[in-house]
Amino acid sequence: MSPVVSARRLDINGIVQGVGFRPYIYQLAAAHDLKGSVVNTGFGVRVHVEGRPEKVAGFCRAMATHGPPMARITEITEHQSPPAGFSDFTIGQTDRGTPSVNTFVCPDTAVCADCLREMHDPRDRRYRYPFINCTNCGPRYTIVYDLPYDRPYTTMKHFEMCDQCRAEYHDPSSRRFHAQPNACPVCGPRAVVCDSTGEKIPCADPIAHAADRLKAGAIVAIKGLGGFHLAADAANCDAVVRLRRKKGRAEKPFAVMAPGLEQIRTFARIRPEEEDLLTSCRRPIVLVEKKAPNLICNAVAPNNPCFGVMLPYTPLHHLLLEHGFCALVMTSGNAAKEPIVLDNERAFSNLCRIADFFLIHDRDICVRADDSIVRHLAGTQRVIRRSRGYAPAPLALDSRCPQILACGAELKNTVCLTKDENAFLSQHIGDLENPEAFDFFQSTIDHLRGLFDITPEVVVHDMHPDYMSTRYALAQSAVKHVAVQHHHAHVVSCMAENRISDTIIGLAFDGTGYGTDGRIWGGEVLVADAAAFVRAAHLQYVPMPGGSAAVADPRRMAAGWLHQAFGNQWVDLDLECVRSRDPEELAVISRMIEKQINSPLTSSMGRLFDTVAAIAGIHSGPVEFEGQAAIKLEAAAGANPGLLDQKACYPYDLPADTHGAIEIRSLIRAVVDDVQAGRSAAEISRRFHSTLVYLFSQICDQIRVRQGISRVVLTGGVFQNAYLLSAMAGRLTAMDFSVYTHGLVPANDGGISLGQAVAAAAGMP
């Protein structure tokens, strides 16, 4: 009697291509004594299995709960299928006939431990090969032109595999089965070192030559996974200071890359949670506390309590760092305000005025991807910049979405595309301030649309009419255009990440956002769901003398607040932010405020932080980068908010109604009194932070009493402030609120596009 044979077809969606999923299925089928086939398709992977019913059932259970380390299954659709009489289990050719692409691309990941062992084994044919990889590691998103993920649709298409690499590629038992970047020294990419003119320097070992130059104090441009870095020896102050001068970057911290945890521990304190982030396959930059004293040049991260540190994530990085460095500065390879450079010729033309040498290779980069930045704070990972290692992995949504393109904000731009129950948040694009950045913005949209077969029926944009992202959105034809208010998008972004659909209280604190009244918002209390919001309270409006000039110089912003608090007498105050101005200049600023000339009104929390930093003398000159003064104000408060004391708060007045302005002129006067009484910057900063915590927790309590809402979302760039986030979340939790914050999506404008997309979908009939 013939045994009963059952057959099933399984369509598997998710990150299942280029991650060793088909050989995993092959081996799993063998373990369950099944016949059939597995093949890549446009929607993911299709599996046909047949055999004894209990074996088929066991295979399906195992497949859903296990898998390769880089794989992520989001959906499995099972179909009963008639047995086809397979004699064995095979891995078939990719089916490119699928009408719709519905699979995902794996983010780039760090070289795995197995490849590193081979790279350091003198007996291995890939000994010291700087482009070693396998199905468990290496470049993915940054080399992919199209899906399905096969070598002809990657930047590896120009490298024909040698016989040994081809044998691995076709061997289901090999770790390199269908590893599209698979290569070796015989057939793969090669590194070379060049001088500042782009002329190749003959040498036996380009990486060792570059290391020697770095040790001698040179600046070296290094080609990585998603673009170029500018590198210098982090212990060589002359080299670091020269890099700052040549890049035009006076104070913004540089990231550093260290060979291992042991070296990091010589200059920074690493908590276990930070160690996990540093050693994860994503290899982000992690913000960690400095040790004092340390060997790292002070110019790496001046006036900052933290270092941004990462571990090597490519084989080339490992080989370079092995030459005895404690750490290398690894800052983005770009000219000021331009995107990171990704190709060799552009690197020679754009970076030759900065770099003394170039360590390059001949594997092209298809997609830019800056290093991601994370921080472990208040019990979880906080992504500050979501890029390499994270993008374009999808974020799961609470419900199905139509196909939407959300164009994001002007600063820290990302874009977001939705399809079904997934949101594809792009890598960090940056500030849309020049044609190069705007080109990057457009090419990213085109690339993601093509990869995921998305034809948007809705294009979403910020309400600000002059944003480049808004202009792009409105120029798109044959689509519905939807505008979403900036701070509502912030709130909905956090709601989407936490999969909340109820009405919540949203505290949205940032520097700039266009309001529904045409003014600049930023210190907002919203009562919102995904579709709509009501502005429940906000910081009182204050003039910004000079508009954008007040963003660049906190002293101007302080002038606006001091005029509110002291009238025309503010120019006579004995404060550094006043004394440092020429009397004639003070008179001009005062007239601008009084006559409302080029002095738009703002309710911005970011500008309030700038103001207090300027009044307290913590930062009273122009800023080099967004948030610089606020970061110094946070640092002055110390690392731990501890127990807050309401008695130590500055005076404030709660809004008179549910839509009112929060009057804080008395707070400004009290800060001035503290400065003139000689109180320390640390005490002023702690009192200011405590005041915000008690003020806004009381407003939340008022709303709860009136409307019965007990969920609070904390969002916006100001909540990257560790002291404020910890203190506010702790206080609200102690008051029995449910508090929701950002983890995988940036709280800053890098998360705006996700909120825009979800808000637009919620508002559709």
Side-chain angles (χ1 to χ4, degrees):
M1 183 176 178
S2 299
V4 175
V5 175
S6 173
R8 286 190 206 177
R9 191 187 86 221
L10 302 104
D11 292 327
I12 306 151
N13 193 12
I15 299 176
V16 290
Q17 294 189 12
V19 293
F21 195 81
R22 285 180 297 169
Y24 161 71
I25 293 294
Y26 176 91
Q27 292 159 11
L28 190 65
H32 285 79
D33 193 26
L34 298 174
K35 315 300 182 188
S37 66
V38 58
V39 62
N40 277 350
T41 69
F43 60 74
V45 168
R46 173 165 287 172
V47 179
H48 176 94
V49 287
E50 52 188 54
R52 295 178 63 85
E54 68 274 15
K55 297 285 189 180
V56 172
F59 169 90
C60 293
R61 285 194 301 270
M63 185 189 66
T65 55
H66 299 88
M70 292 169 62
R72 175 182 161 191
I73 296 173
T74 59
E75 183 181 31
I76 300 175
T77 305
E78 292 189 27
H79 310 270
Q80 289 293 337
S81 183
F86 280 88
S87 59
D88 56 11
F89 194 91
T90 61
I91 298 177
Q93 296 296 313
T94 296
D95 177 8
R96 288 189 61 84
T98 310
S100 175
V101 173
N102 197 29
T103 191
F104 306 147
V105 178
C106 180
D108 303 86
T109 61
V111 59
C112 69
D114 289 331
C115 284
L116 284 177
R117 277 193 294 272
E118 293 172 349
M119 188 181 75
H120 289 112
D121 184 355
R123 298 165 298 179
D124 194 278
R125 69 189 188 93
R126 293 186 176 89
Y127 177 57
R128 300 191 68 77
Y129 182 56
F131 306 99
I132 189 170
N133 66 86
C134 69
T135 52
N136 296 327
C137 68
R140 292 296 190 275
Y141 177 53
T142 54
I143 65 169
V144 176
Y145 291 116
D146 198 4
L147 289 176
Y149 177 63
D150 281 329
R151 195 174 179 109
Y153 308 106
T154 74
T155 60
M156 288 297 295
K157 65 183 179 180
H158 305 295
F159 299 95
E160 184 176 349
M161 284 183 281
C162 66
D163 291 343
Q164 286 180 285
C165 285
R166 188 177 295 108
E168 293 170 330
Y169 184 84
H170 291 291
D171 179 3
S173 66
S174 170
R175 204 174 79 251
R176 295 187 170 87
F177 177 79
H178 278 245
Q180 306 308 336
N182 188 35
C184 73
V186 173
C187 62
R190 299 185 181 186
V192 297
V193 65
C194 302
D195 63 21
S196 61
T197 68
E199 190 70 26
K200 179 180 174 182
I201 299 174
C203 58
D205 187 340
I207 295 174
H209 189 88
D212 289 342
R213 302 282 67 78
L214 287 164
K215 288 180 178 179
I219 298 167
V220 180
I222 300 173
K223 189 176 184 180
L225 282 183
F228 274 77
H229 286 114
L230 289 166
D233 184 349
N236 185 326
C237 285
D238 289 342
V240 176
V241 169
R242 193 162 67 92
L243 176 55
R244 284 205 173 279
R245 185 179 69 251
K246 296 183 87 172
K247 199 176 180 188
R249 188 163 159 177
E251 194 170 309
K252 188 175 183 180
F254 285 143
V256 298
M257 180 182 284
L261 295 172
E262 180 182 352
Q263 288 82 6
I264 296 175
R265 289 192 179 97
T266 66
F267 59 83
R269 293 180 175 85
I270 315 174
R271 295 175 293 164
E273 302 88 353
E274 293 161 344
E275 181 176 328
D276 290 343
L277 290 170
L278 285 163
T279 57
S280 72
C281 66
R282 294 185 173 101
R283 286 294 199 278
I285 297 169
V286 182
L287 301 186
V288 295
E289 183 185 354
K290 289 179 179 177
K291 272 186 179 176
N294 63 70
L295 296 176
I296 302 298
C297 173
N298 183 60
V300 167
N303 302 310
N304 195 301
C306 295
F307 285 122
V309 185
M310 58 182 156
L311 292 174
Y313 54 85
T314 71
L316 186 149
H317 290 145
H318 280 274
L319 293 170
L320 182 65
L321 269 295
E322 286 171 6
H323 286 267
F325 297 102
C326 174
L328 291 175
V329 167
M330 283 282 191
T331 189
S332 54
N334 60 335
K337 298 184 178 180
E338 291 185 0
I340 188 171
V341 173
L342 76 165
D343 67 81
N344 297 339
E345 292 307 313
R346 184 65 65 88
F348 293 139
S349 62
N350 285 24
L351 303 179
C352 62
R353 292 178 296 278
I354 303 174
D356 305 306
F357 298 93
F358 291 79
L359 179 58
I360 63 171
H361 56 77
D362 54 354
R363 184 180 67 205
D364 291 338
I365 299 170
C366 175
V367 180
R368 286 183 178 89
D370 285 272
D371 297 314
S372 295
I373 304 174
V374 304
R375 187 177 193 178
H376 195 276
L377 172 63
T380 193
Q381 163 189 279
R382 311 283 176 180
V383 174
I384 297 170
R385 184 168 75 192
R386 186 180 185 273
S387 202
R388 178 191 50 77
Y390 292 84
L395 297 156
L397 300 175
D398 203 38
S399 58
R400 290 178 69 87
C401 257
Q403 295 191 9
I404 293 173
L405 164 63
C407 296
E410 188 80 348
L411 303 179
K412 297 180 174 63
N413 180 270
T414 62
V415 298
C416 182
L417 291 108
T418 60
K419 185 177 185 180
D420 300 328
E421 294 179 347
N422 295 297
F424 299 95
L425 190 64
S426 77
Q427 73 275 31
H428 169 80
I429 295 171
D431 300 348
L432 304 183
E433 296 182 326
N434 54 56
E436 292 82 4
F438 187 63
D439 287 347
F440 179 23
F441 165 83
Q442 294 182 94
S443 65
T444 300
I445 292 172
D446 293 343
H447 188 242
L448 288 173
R449 285 183 57 180
L451 276 185
F452 301 120
D453 191 26
I454 294 174
T455 303
E457 55 192 271
V458 178
V459 178
V460 196
H461 57 87
D462 193 274
M463 290 180 63
H464 199 299
D466 294 329
Y467 280 1
M468 294 296 292
S469 53
T470 299
R471 292 178 180 178
Y472 171 89
L474 294 177
Q476 306 309 301
S477 58
V479 294
K480 180 180 179 181
H481 298 104
V482 175
V484 175
Q485 198 279 324
H486 188 94
H487 299 94
H488 185 218
H490 268 308
V491 168
V492 177
S493 174
C494 192
M495 292 175 66
E497 178 180 352
N498 289 282
R499 307 188 80 165
I500 302 170
S501 55
D502 299 338
T503 301
I504 54 85
I505 302 167
L507 303 186
F509 297 168
D510 65 1
T512 300
Y514 195 85
T516 55
D517 58 1
R519 292 173 174 171
I520 301 168
W521 292 8
E524 310 306 311
V525 183
L526 308 182
V527 173
D529 58 21
F533 74 93
V534 173
R535 194 185 192 196
H538 60 88
L539 290 179
Q540 68 180 92
Y541 284 120
V542 64
M544 296 174 62
S548 60
V551 178
D553 189 344
R555 295 174 298 178
R556 281 181 175 263
M557 200 62 241
W561 273 110
L562 291 171
H563 187 274
Q564 291 279 84
F566 295 94
N568 293 331
Q569 285 71 44
W570 76 271
V571 296
D572 300 319
L573 292 169
D574 185 19
L575 298 170
E576 173 62 26
C577 63
V578 178
R579 292 194 305 269
S580 62
R581 291 284 194 189
D582 180 270
E584 192 171 310
E585 190 177 14
L586 289 176
V588 170
I589 293 173
S590 201
R591 283 196 298 273
M592 290 174 68
I593 296 170
E594 289 172 23
K595 298 182 181 298
Q596 301 177 21
I597 300 170
N598 191 22
S599 296
L601 296 177
T602 183
S603 62
S604 167
M605 181 66 77
R607 301 289 80 80
L608 178 60
F609 268 80
D610 286 352
T611 293
V612 174
I615 292 173
I618 293 169
H619 187 101
S620 56
V623 296
E624 180 200 344
F625 57 92
E626 186 190 18
Q628 183 179 10
I631 289 169
K632 289 184 177 180
L633 182 61
E634 174 194 352
N640 189 350
L643 294 174
L644 300 178
D645 182 3
Q646 187 171 12
K647 294 178 182 177
C649 289
Y650 290 121
Y652 58 82
D653 297 308
L654 292 171
D657 55 53
T658 56
H659 306 289
I662 303 166
E663 169 65 68
I664 57 171
R665 281 180 287 190
S666 55
L667 182 154
I668 298 297
R669 295 188 193 103
V671 171
V672 171
D673 288 344
D674 270 1
V675 173
Q676 294 181 336
R679 296 191 185 277
S680 69
E683 184 175 356
I684 292 170
S685 180
R686 284 193 293 269
R687 290 189 72 187
F688 173 66
H689 282 83
S690 296
T691 304
L692 296 181
V693 170
Y694 277 98
L695 164 59
F696 284 95
S697 61
Q698 283 184 258
I699 292 173
C700 289
D701 198 41
Q702 288 180 337
I703 295 171
R704 177 167 59 182
V705 169
R706 292 175 184 138
Q707 301 186 47
I709 303 169
S710 59
R711 291 186 171 193
V712 181
V713 160
L714 307 181
T715 187
V718 171
F719 278 112
Q720 290 175 168
N721 179 318
Y723 193 101
L724 181 66
L725 177 65
S726 297
M728 188 76 78
R731 175 65 183 161
L732 289 168
T733 300
M735 295 170 65
D736 292 326
F737 282 97
S738 297
V739 181
Y740 299 90
T741 59
H742 289 275
L744 289 176
V745 177
N748 60 43
D749 282 6
I752 283 280
S753 60
L754 173 64
Q756 289 175 338
V758 175
M764 294 177 68

